[in-house]
Amino acid sequence: MNRFVIAERAVRTAAPHQLLDAVRRVLVEQYAADSVELFMADYGLTVLQPVSVLPHTMEPVSVHNSPEGRAFGAQEPFVEDAPGGGSVRAHLPVSVRGDRLGVLSVVLPDGDHVRGCLAELAEIAEVLGREVVVAERDTDLYLQARRKDRLTLAAEMQWQLLPGRSCTRPEYELGAQLEPAYAIFGDNFDWSATAEHLMLYVTNGMGEGIEASLLTNLAINALRNARRAGLPISDQAALADQAVYAQYRGECYLSMLMFDFELATGRAWVVDAGSPQMLRLRAGSVERVELEAQLPLGMFEETDYVAQEFRVEPGDRLLFVSDGVYAVASPKGEAYGDAALARAIQATRLLPAAEVPRAVLRELTGHRGRPVPDDDALVVCLDWLGR
């Protein structure tokens, strides 16, 4: 049995809260590692926090200007000399199907064997990522490592509702981010893929705190219930509309943009239910895409929704933003607006989809002039690659 198989088996058979211990033990025994640490990206995507039992004693490292952050951002192994000489530290991205979870850092004796085993170590980090996702059903250890501050209860509910923050398939790449990460209210995104379709939902929530989170939870779960019954998006919207209206009688409602993309052709069906805004980067030019606006979900009883046809082409980048982005005012009262969004999209055109939302939100912070927003801000980026 080769050492990679031994390492893989050790990770897969470890108890949920002992994944790091299992990886550490097998890398010491099979790869002569001196030390092994696992860092998880925090909810705000600002730091990588070490996995350890509470209270945390190790300091987090920056996502933006650290060797660990370099591996995380590039999604490629990064090797540096370890302090003291004679050793190197390999930083390995921990991801699952494009969803960036963190970084595994391994200190190894320097030498040619390091480069020879780097590919194996990167695969072990990928195996670890998959096991972390499964383990989160049974332990809070990795979720606790993702928070550098305490989440509000509304934010806890929202993050548990999300599918992930990024996703990659041959036909597309997705990235999304919410702010304020530790106190988000009602904005939300959701996606689900089959062999032939990608369904994407972008929600601009209503209200604040727990009430906003409860409203969004009801709507998203109603949509998932309809989607999993095999219904088209127009019927999904109608059933979610009924569920929200039955609960709130029109006093609360929410805006949503719903897509059903056909992976083979790029054809899409859209329901614009009082939507967040969508901008498209195509052939170097940014334009706002106008859709046929329909009523928000839950505003009136038994609203009928009609799906509009839309098409994406290989190379298109779509950016979806909530009103907490395009309507944010500067200290002088100037709204962020389409022109600023177009500049931000152009400035981030070379970044992968997973990094674009955070980069746009950093730009938005500069426009706002203060670090904490008054309203939820949501950015979703979809790169369409096509078949």
Side-chain angles (χ1 to χ4, degrees):
M1 189 182 301
N2 66 48
R3 60 185 182 178
F4 172 76
V5 173
I6 292 172
E8 183 182 33
R9 178 172 295 181
V11 177
R12 292 193 185 280
T13 57
H17 62 285
Q18 293 181 326
L19 294 178
L20 178 55
D21 292 336
V23 168
R24 186 177 284 136
R25 183 171 58 253
V26 77
L27 292 187
V28 169
E29 293 173 355
Q30 300 295 326
Y31 293 85
D34 291 329
S35 69
V36 179
E37 297 296 339
L38 173 61
F39 297 86
M40 301 291 290
D42 86 303
Y43 288 106
L45 288 177
T46 58
V47 299
L48 293 161
Q49 191 136 285
V51 172
S52 62
V53 177
L54 291 177
H56 299 306
T57 55
M58 292 180 59
E59 290 295 319
V61 297
S62 171
V63 165
H64 307 296
N65 55 11
S66 68
E68 294 88 350
R70 179 168 174 174
F72 181 80
Q75 287 296 286
E76 293 180 355
F78 176 68
V79 180
E80 61 168 341
D81 292 333
S87 299
V88 295
R89 181 180 282 113
H91 304 289
L92 312 157
V94 177
S95 305
V96 180
R97 295 189 180 93
D99 191 14
R100 304 173 176 203
L101 304 180
V103 172
L104 183 68
S105 293
V106 185
V107 176
L108 299 159
D110 197 5
D112 293 339
H113 74 285
V114 171
R115 284 150 191 82
C117 70
L118 200 58
E120 286 184 11
L121 292 173
E123 285 192 60
I124 292 170
E126 184 177 338
V127 171
L128 175 61
R130 293 176 185 273
E131 292 303 312
V132 165
V133 170
V134 175
E136 286 181 348
R137 298 182 304 180
D138 302 308
T139 179
D140 288 334
L141 181 65
Y142 310 103
L143 293 172
Q144 287 170 337
R146 290 177 60 186
R147 53 195 72 190
K148 68 181 182 67
D149 297 309
R150 183 172 179 176
L151 291 175
T152 64
L153 179 54
E156 186 85 50
M157 294 167 66
Q158 285 293 72
W159 283 108
Q160 291 299 308
L161 191 63
L162 298 174
R165 280 188 293 204
S166 51
C167 179
T168 300
R169 275 189 55 171
E171 299 89 353
Y172 62 84
E173 294 181 2
L174 269 166
Q177 181 62 12
L178 297 164
E179 277 196 353
Y182 290 84
I184 195 75
F185 301 145
D187 286 4
N188 184 271
F189 56 87
D190 193 27
W191 56 66
S192 179
T194 66
E196 299 301 332
H197 289 263
L198 165 69
M199 289 194 178
L200 172 65
Y201 314 84
V202 183
T203 304
N204 192 2
M206 175 183 178
E208 297 182 356
I210 295 295
E211 291 301 321
S213 182
L214 287 171
L215 172 63
T216 301
N217 267 262
L218 174 60
I220 293 297
N221 279 293
L223 287 170
R224 289 174 176 174
N225 180 257
R227 183 184 74 215
R228 291 163 185 170
L231 300 181
I233 60 168
S234 56
D235 291 339
Q236 293 176 32
L239 288 178
D241 171 72
Q242 291 174 22
V244 174
Y245 186 84
Q247 182 67 30
Y248 295 99
R249 312 306 297 179
E251 293 182 4
C252 295
Y253 46 85
L254 71 172
S255 300
M256 186 173 292
L257 190 57
M258 304 169 57
F259 280 91
D260 179 2
F261 292 95
E262 191 174 65
L263 298 180
T265 64
R267 290 177 65 203
W269 292 266
V270 190
V271 172
D272 178 353
S275 74
Q277 295 193 12
M278 177 173 69
L279 293 95
R280 177 176 60 204
L281 174 63
R282 175 181 286 176
S285 177
V286 178
E287 61 178 339
R288 180 174 165 187
V289 179
E290 298 288 352
L291 298 169
E292 297 172 7
Q294 301 178 64
L295 293 172
L297 301 183
M299 180 175 280
F300 297 106
E301 188 173 13
E302 296 184 356
T303 303
D304 290 327
Y305 292 90
V306 178
Q308 170 189 356
E309 192 164 328
F310 178 73
R311 184 176 291 274
V312 284
E313 298 177 0
D316 280 358
R317 167 167 285 181
L318 303 180
L319 204 76
F320 311 93
V321 295
S322 66
D323 61 3
V325 176
Y326 60 79
V328 165
S330 71
K332 296 181 179 179
E334 300 167 343
Y336 194 58
D338 287 356
L341 269 170
R343 289 194 298 271
I345 293 170
Q346 289 284 10
T348 58
R349 66 188 182 279
L350 299 181
L351 294 177
E355 291 192 36
V356 171
R358 182 61 192 162
V360 172
L361 289 170
R362 284 200 303 270
E363 172 76 15
L364 183 67
T365 300
H367 172 84
R368 190 170 55 233
R370 59 189 186 282
V372 180
D374 295 327
D375 189 13
D376 291 357
L378 164 65
V379 179
V380 178
C381 179
L382 170 65
D383 283 353
W384 189 261
L385 309 176
R387 280 189 183 167

